[in-house]
């Protein structure tokens, strides 16, 4: 197997981009919501996330390849004014992990599955809520200024800092780092999960970009 370009394997590097990969089970509920809310938040801060070299994707450990996202997930994204159009589900493949600079999973089990795939994924794979908790503890003044060194360098420094903190800043409870699966649930539960994901993403996107959300 020929490895695609990415940071997961030594010798492969694309210094102009930073890929964020969101992972859940089917890639039809949680990870699509997280992917599109991340893009929405980046656009809110940057105008165009690709202008800073940030690429946001998603996949599922048991991904429904080629499937649309769940209708209730689309409704949740519409509530936030986020674009849900054109989404296509994907099964998580080695190449997705290889290319990713940061993997954010819905649960600890997903995190373990990503890490078990190898590709030096351990230091750049976190659950979403775990990463949020670690990011909150990082002094933004210690990160490169995106205006001087670029968004990609800032994002990579953030991941390194979070990885260094992981063994020191533990979760307050067993379930604290989990985002529950809303698959098959009513829209009210989907909306509560959407709010949960959005709240977890806010400090992450702010730390990645150095730009706070608009009022």
């Amino acid at each position: 197997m020929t490895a695609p370009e990415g940071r997961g394997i030594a010798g492969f590097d694309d210094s102009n981009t930073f890929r964020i990969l969101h992972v859940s089970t089917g890639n039809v509920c949680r990870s699509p919501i997280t992917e599109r809310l991340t893009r929405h938040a980046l656009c809110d801060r940057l105008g165009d996330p690709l202008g800073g070299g940030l690429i946001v994707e998603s996949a599922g450990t048991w991904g429904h390849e080629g499937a649309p996202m769940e209708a209730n997930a689309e409704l949740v994204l519409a509530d936030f004014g986020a674009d849900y159009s054109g989404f296509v589900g994907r099964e998580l493949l080695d190449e997705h992990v290889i290319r990713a600079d940061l993997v954010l999973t819905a649960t600890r089990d997903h995190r373990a599955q990503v890490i078990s795939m190898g590709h030096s994924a351990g230091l750049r794979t976190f659950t979403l809520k775990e990463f949020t908790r670690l990011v909150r503890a990082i002094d933004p003044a210690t990160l490169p200024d995106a205006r001087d060194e670029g968004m990609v360098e800032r994002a990579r420094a953030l991941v390194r800092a979070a990885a260094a903190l992981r063994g020191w800043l533990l979760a307050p409870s067993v379930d604290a780092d989990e985002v529950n699966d809303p698959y098959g649930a009513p829209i009210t539960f989907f909306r509560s999960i959407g709010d949960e994901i959005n709240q977890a993403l806010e400090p992450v996107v702010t730390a990645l970009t150095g730009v706070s959300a608009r009022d």
Side-chain angles (χ1 to χ4, degrees), residues 47-185:
D48 176 9
L50 290 178
L54 304 182
I55 299 171
V56 186
E57 303 172 312
S58 65
T61 55
W62 290 90
H64 299 184
E65 188 73 28
M69 75 174 78
E70 285 288 293
N72 281 345
E74 292 184 349
L75 290 175
V76 167
L77 290 170
D79 288 343
F80 287 99
D83 181 17
Y84 57 81
S85 64
F87 180 84
V88 178
R90 303 192 304 176
E91 182 178 355
L92 181 67
L93 302 176
D94 287 77
E95 66 186 72
H96 302 144
V97 177
I98 290 168
R99 293 172 66 89
D101 296 280
L102 172 63
V103 184
L104 297 176
T105 69
T107 69
R108 291 170 297 158
D109 183 58
H110 296 132
R111 181 185 65 193
Q113 290 181 66
V114 172
I115 293 172
S116 73
M117 295 171 73
H119 314 305
S120 306
L123 292 177
R124 52 198 167 89
T125 303
F126 309 79
T127 75
L128 170 62
K129 286 187 172 181
E130 174 192 21
F131 194 66
T132 300
R133 175 164 45 80
L134 296 172
V135 161
R136 288 184 185 278
I138 296 169
D139 182 355
T142 64
L143 300 173
D145 190 324
R147 294 169 297 182
D148 298 329
E149 300 185 48
M151 203 76 65
V152 169
E153 288 306 313
R154 180 183 178 92
R156 290 180 181 169
L158 181 68
V159 173
R160 290 193 297 269
L165 279 176
R166 179 151 41 192
W168 299 92
L169 192 62
L170 302 179
S173 68
V174 173
D175 298 326
D177 288 341
E178 307 274 302
V179 175
N180 291 323
D181 190 355
Y183 185 77

